[in-house]
Amino acid sequence: MGLRCSFGGTTLQTLMLRACPPPSSSSSLSFSLLRTLNPQRRRPVRHFIPLARALSASSLSATASVTSEAAPRTDSDDKAAKSQWKAAIDFKWIRDHRDAVATNIKNRNSSANLDLVLELYAKMLDTQKEVEQLRGERNAVANKMKGKLEPSERQKLVEEGKNLKEGLMTLEEDLVKLTDELQQEAQFIPNMTHPDVPIGDEDSSVIRKMVGSPREFSFPVKDHVQLGKELDLFDFDAAAEVSGSKFYYLKNEAVLLEMALINWTLSEVVKRGFTLLTTPEIVRSSVVEKCGFQPRGTNTQVYSIKDSDQCLIGTAEIPVGGIHMDSILPNSSLPHKYAAFSHCFRTEAGAAGAATRGLYRVHQFSKVELFVLCRPEESNAYHEELITIEEDLFSSLGLHFKTLDMASGDLGAPAYRKFDVEAWMPGLGRYGEISSASNCTDYQSRRLGIRYRPVDPASLNNNSPKKGKSNAGPTQFVHTLNATACAIPRMIVCILENYQQEDGSVAIPAPLRPFMGGLEVIAPRPR
């Protein structure tokens, strides 16, 4: 889910956003990438065919205020906002597996109130029975009135029907309220957890793989902030004046390095069957919620647009997840594998210390995100594929890193299992997270309404199906997975700090040189 998608923290200052069409978020692909995408190449690109989906119309006001802290809201405001959509939560399964769900909530340090959810579910079922009973009695009265009746008997039935109608209206209103409240509470219940996930907080995470070893330097090591200043690659001071803290300008070869990382990453993942996308960078708040993030409240990391139902994205996972929202995908179309380039916006509030200096933790950055929609039985295999792609990319850049199987307490609500990649950053003097890969099973698809229609195995044995019969079985929810292929700022940190040289220059990793016009070294400028 990108770089640490727990989305926690406090709120920040208000920024202003003109409500005009956003510029294209993608730079031109390099000649090398265009050649990779050429129709003559060996592996054809999978073309994305958009499916029809219901979208409500809305627009930005002439000028909108972007803020990580919405106007003061009451509990009723939050409930009203959440009741606008419903997740297809399997309440019966939760009730039948109460102990397992309760243990999972505890292991993940979740604040979900399982007892309240089950209490509301029981009340909802009882109310549904009462509604059905009254509807039956009302229909019985209506049927009696179709026959010949004495006036007094008809009047009696009229009164009885009126009372039943009023009682039914009251019960139906109660049922709607109960259903909404049940949804609001149940949406806090996190996904179940893979049985191999370590139990505990982040410190309990287990190393899956260690690649390479820290580079040994024969000269004093500089961090990326010092290197960037000496090589004239960044301007944090001007950005602070223009936008605020944790913003930056990239300059000179740093701009080329960003473009090279993007184009190199895209050229590599397209070889592996991924469809390339650029995405909207403003999305509806409901889509953010359906993907498992919290766009409002004191703990949000999302920039919300004031007086609208829209937010800036913190990761391309959100708009990519919404592509097939409210759709039934053909079995034959799966899997869908997307590689999306976008800019990302996060408040990153509350962070402090040396690890937040420079490019390590910023409010806006570029990222290439991988996203997969697949059949349920395939998601574990695709999770392994995603982490392998990440490891191959980082290995080819010559980085020293470790892959972690993250502990239950560090998993965001959507993740069934999450692997993090932490690379060695010599200037920081420790490992820093550069990527993650998560299997969210059907947690997001139940909220986004993404199903597929699998083939019925029984029908495959029937060589002559009856006329009008289909081989398709009942619909099921797809599984979704996401992984960060390249988060630009932290990759720049890794490259500058690991490839610095004694003369103050920085070598460019060999795979990136063709994407930088053959540049091999970023050298100090003559004074």
Side-chain angles (χ1 to χ4, degrees):
M1 258 175 237
L3 294 181
R4 190 74 62 192
C5 281
S6 57
F7 275 39
T10 54
T11 53
L12 294 181
Q13 301 144 313
T14 297
L15 303 176
M16 297 302 294
L17 175 72
R18 285 294 298 181
C20 55
S24 170
S25 59
S26 176
S27 58
S28 299
L29 297 179
S30 68
F31 173 76
S32 299
L33 179 54
L34 291 174
R35 182 173 57 193
T36 304
L37 297 174
N38 190 291
Q40 302 299 320
R41 75 192 192 293
R42 295 178 182 175
R43 290 190 68 169
V45 175
R46 296 187 181 184
H47 296 286
F48 163 58
I49 303 175
L51 300 177
R53 59 190 184 275
L55 291 175
S56 59
S58 73
S59 61
L60 286 171
S61 56
T63 303
S65 159
V66 181
T67 176
S68 62
E69 182 174 19
R73 298 171 60 86
T74 64
D75 291 341
S76 60
D77 289 333
D78 289 331
K79 290 181 179 179
K82 289 186 178 180
S83 64
Q84 292 174 1
W85 60 273
K86 288 182 172 61
I89 298 172
D90 192 340
F91 296 106
K92 183 178 182 300
W93 189 93
I94 293 174
R95 182 193 64 188
D96 294 345
H97 298 82
R98 176 175 186 152
D99 291 345
V101 174
T103 300
N104 186 61
I105 289 172
K106 179 181 179 182
N107 289 342
R108 296 173 71 126
N109 298 327
S110 171
S111 61
N113 190 338
L114 179 59
D115 290 337
L116 179 56
V117 169
L118 295 178
E119 178 185 338
L120 291 169
Y121 180 52
K123 288 182 179 179
M124 186 193 73
L125 292 179
D126 290 341
T127 305
Q128 281 180 336
K129 290 178 182 178
E130 292 183 56
V131 167
E132 290 167 3
Q133 181 180 342
L134 281 187
R135 284 174 179 167
E137 293 176 9
R138 184 189 61 179
N139 291 338
V141 169
N143 288 333
K144 287 180 183 179
M145 293 182 67
K146 292 178 181 178
K148 293 182 179 180
L149 298 169
E150 294 291 332
S152 59
E153 189 175 354
R154 180 175 294 277
Q155 183 59 36
K156 182 179 179 182
L157 289 175
V158 168
E159 291 296 327
E160 185 178 354
K162 181 180 178 181
N163 292 335
L164 287 171
K165 181 180 178 180
E166 291 175 352
L168 184 58
M169 287 178 62
T170 300
L171 276 178
E172 286 175 336
E173 290 175 0
D174 291 342
L175 183 59
V176 169
K177 291 178 181 178
L178 275 171
T179 302
D180 285 346
E181 191 176 354
L182 175 59
Q183 269 286 323
Q184 293 155 22
E185 291 298 331
Q187 285 171 20
F188 288 106
I189 296 178
N191 199 354
M192 295 302 288
T193 305
H194 190 287
D196 292 341
V197 167
I199 304 301
D201 294 328
E202 184 178 359
D203 292 343
S204 300
S205 301
V206 174
I207 296 177
R208 279 170 45 93
K209 189 175 185 179
M210 184 75 76
V211 176
S213 57
R215 178 187 166 189
E216 295 183 2
F217 295 89
S218 59
F219 54 89
V221 174
K222 302 172 183 176
D223 66 12
H224 74 282
V225 177
Q226 184 178 356
L227 288 165
K229 182 177 181 180
E230 294 175 358
L231 296 172
D232 196 21
L233 301 178
F234 319 132
D235 194 331
F236 295 104
D237 294 336
E241 292 294 326
V242 171
S243 302
S245 63
K246 294 188 175 69
F247 286 92
Y248 57 95
Y249 287 96
L250 294 183
K251 299 172 63 179
N252 301 313
E253 292 90 346
V255 177
L256 299 178
L257 183 56
E258 174 175 41
M259 300 304 172
L261 283 165
I262 294 166
N263 291 329
W264 169 72
T265 303
L266 293 176
S267 70
E268 290 298 313
V269 298
V270 78
K271 297 173 187 176
R272 303 179 188 234
F274 284 80
T275 297
L276 304 186
L277 297 174
T278 60
T279 74
E281 293 172 357
I282 294 177
V283 296
R284 302 185 189 280
S285 300
S286 59
V287 179
V288 178
E289 292 172 349
K290 290 174 184 179
C291 288
F293 301 96
Q294 178 55 258
R296 296 184 180 87
T298 56
N299 292 324
T300 185
Q301 284 281 34
V302 179
Y303 285 109
S304 295
I305 299 175
K306 189 176 180 181
D307 299 326
S308 82
D309 69 338
Q310 294 167 309
C311 303
L312 299 181
I313 65 171
T315 168
E317 170 192 346
I318 296 168
V320 178
I323 286 179
H324 296 294
M325 189 166 59
D326 302 321
S327 297
I328 298 177
L329 307 176
N331 180 69
S332 59
S333 73
L334 296 175
H336 287 283
K337 299 167 65 177
Y338 296 114
F341 168 77
S342 75
H343 296 104
C344 304
F345 306 86
R346 301 184 185 179
T347 68
E348 296 293 3
T356 67
R357 293 185 67 234
L359 295 175
Y360 189 82
R361 195 177 299 280
V362 291
H363 294 315
Q364 176 183 335
F365 58 95
S366 302
K367 181 160 69 79
V368 177
E369 184 81 358
L370 306 181
F371 195 89
V372 175
L373 301 96
C374 67
R375 302 172 190 88
E377 64 273 15
E378 299 171 336
S379 65
N380 285 332
Y382 280 112
H383 197 198
E384 292 292 339
E385 177 180 326
L386 289 174
I387 192 61
T388 298
I389 290 172
E390 291 180 341
E391 291 170 346
D392 289 348
L393 291 174
F394 304 142
S395 293
S396 65
L397 291 178
L399 300 180
H400 165 51
F401 62 88
K402 58 184 178 180
T403 305
L404 301 170
D405 194 347
M406 300 308 292
S408 59
D410 190 65
L411 300 182
Y416 174 63
R417 191 178 195 181
K418 181 166 75 87
F419 302 139
D420 276 6
V421 178
E422 295 184 355
W424 179 250
M425 299 178 179
L428 192 62
R430 68 171 179 84
Y431 292 93
E433 182 189 347
I434 60 171
S435 181
S436 67
S438 298
N439 182 0
C440 298
T441 62
D442 62 356
Y443 185 93
Q444 293 175 325
S445 62
R446 284 181 174 273
R447 288 154 173 75
L448 291 163
I450 310 175
R451 302 171 182 258
Y452 79 107
R453 195 177 296 279
V455 174
D456 184 357
S459 67
L460 297 178
N461 298 324
N462 187 350
N463 295 324
S464 56
K466 295 181 181 179
K467 186 177 180 179
K469 295 289 184 179
S470 169
N471 286 340
T475 61
Q476 296 181 28
F477 290 100
V478 301
H479 280 195
T480 63
L481 305 96
N482 62 82
T484 299
C486 186
I488 301 302
R490 293 192 184 180
M491 291 304 295
I492 291 178
V493 172
C494 287
I495 290 170
L496 294 183
E497 294 190 359
N498 283 284
Y499 280 89
Q500 60 183 295
Q501 302 182 104
E502 190 169 6
D503 64 358
S505 65
V506 173
I508 302 298
L512 300 180
R513 293 174 185 175
F515 298 88
M516 295 186 68
L519 183 67
E520 296 184 3
V521 175
I522 302 175
R525 285 169 175 72
R527 294 186 180 276

